[in-house]
Amino acid sequence: MRRDSTTIKINFVRSVKPFKLKMASRGGSARRIPENEAAITYVQCDGLAVMKILKHCHEESCSNMEVAQGALLGLVVENRLEITNCFPFPKHDDTMDEEEYQLAMMRRLRRVNVDHFHVGWYQSADVGNFLSLSLLESQYHYQTSIEESVVVIYDTKKSARGFLTLKAYRLTPQAIQMYKEQDYTPEALRNLKIGYESLFIEVPIVIRNSPLTNIMMSELSEMIPEEEGSKFLDLGTASVLEGQLRSLMERVDELNQEAIKFNRYQQLVVRQQQDKHRWLLKRAQENAARAAKDEPPLPEEDVNKLFKPHPVPLRLNPMIVAGQINTYSQHISQFCSQSLAKLYVTQALHNAKDTKQNN
């Protein structure tokens, strides 16, 4: 079991700017995991913490359709990250100091003997769409300050339709190296062998409940009549598909604009190379003519100063947009498959009902 007295200060700006983590401990150094220690292999989340995350995310999505975010508290035990509590980040308010709010929350939890050590943060998502530049930067600040930290993504739309979606992610070493170097050119990303599919690694989540809670849940499942389960046979996936298709088209248009920018850059580079080649050829011909007249050659000039290279368009945003398109496509395919399956099931039930009435 590992605990320390590190205090985390987070300057939080809601969904627009990334988190800024400042480490302020008695020793004055950030909390790090030694290299010889084993990394976490799975996340164990208490049922109470899960219910608090679910409640906060659904309240935000139903009231003002904003992204819900909050802090995860717990501790690390061997190769297991235990999430034992959480609290939401406050809504952006100029009259409230976010740092003071979070420090006050942690102090109060410590007074009542509740785990108060930061182990990550959580955020709500809309049908799997959570990949964004602000999320990447926030997790980078977390993971470089608190080595074992994770980001937990809760999907409100899918969970509301009967599919509990709670996933934990960590940045890959390639993604951390990319942010350290702050180089998002095509060559840098190619050397790191990084793409949207290798930005995050998913960590398995295990939900832990007390034995009394498990007994109560078993009794509740036995008390629910069988016919009550038919209400989950929801055919109304059209609204979800419509929103996903609209978002997918917007991301495709955005990616197309990025492709146009990159193609324009390539055309400028090719044209500049041709101009440079013509200039060098002309200079060589002039020097050859002067040498034939026993005249000194023209002074050498720096070609790169005459033909300044064009700035390379950054590829981080196109990579994120491509990841969002991939996520939308996967979920649209999943919902289409579910809709077809529900239609077939409904048709079979309808035929069975007609057959029973005819007999």
Side-chain angles (χ1 to χ4, degrees), residues 116-168:
H116 60 282
F117 300 106
H118 256 86
V119 293
W121 59 296
Y122 68 86
Q123 176 177 305
S124 62
D126 182 7
V127 195
N129 179 28
F130 66 92
L131 186 61
S132 64
L133 181 60
S134 59
L135 184 135
L136 289 173
E137 293 179 353
S138 300
Q139 182 58 23
Y140 169 75
H141 288 298
Y142 263 98
Q143 206 162 317
T144 52
S145 299
I146 312 171
E147 182 70 21
E148 65 271 17
S149 63
V150 298
V151 54
V152 173
I153 304 296
Y154 173 68
D155 197 319
T156 54
K157 289 291 184 64
K158 292 185 67 177
S159 299
R161 293 185 174 273
F163 304 93
L164 177 61
T165 306
L166 195 70
K167 296 184 179 182

Side-chain angles (χ1 to χ4, degrees), residues 241 244-245 248 327-337:
L241 289 176
Q244 293 297 298
L245 288 172
L248 178 60
T327 302
Y328 281 128
S329 301
Q330 290 179 354
H331 285 82
I332 288 173
S333 175
Q334 180 184 11
F335 271 99
C336 288
S337 301

Side-chain angles (χ1 to χ4, degrees), residues 163-182:
F163 304 93
L164 177 61
T165 306
L166 195 70
K167 296 184 179 182
Y169 295 95
R170 287 170 53 84
L171 285 177
T172 59
Q174 298 96 321
I176 294 177
Q177 186 65 27
M178 176 187 68
Y179 271 99
K180 282 183 179 179
E181 297 177 357
Q182 293 290 310

Side-chain angles (χ1 to χ4, degrees), residues 5 13 15 51 65-66 79 119 142 144 150 175 182 188 254 277 290 297-298 300 303 316-317 325 345-347:
S5 59
V13 180
S15 303
M51 294 303 296
M65 301 299 293
E66 291 187 1
N79 62 339
V119 293
Y142 263 98
T144 52
V150 298
Q182 293 290 310
E254 186 176 351
H277 178 72
R290 293 175 68 89
L298 296 173
E300 295 184 0
V303 180
L316 179 60
N317 187 59
I325 291 175
V345 171
T346 306
Q347 182 180 4

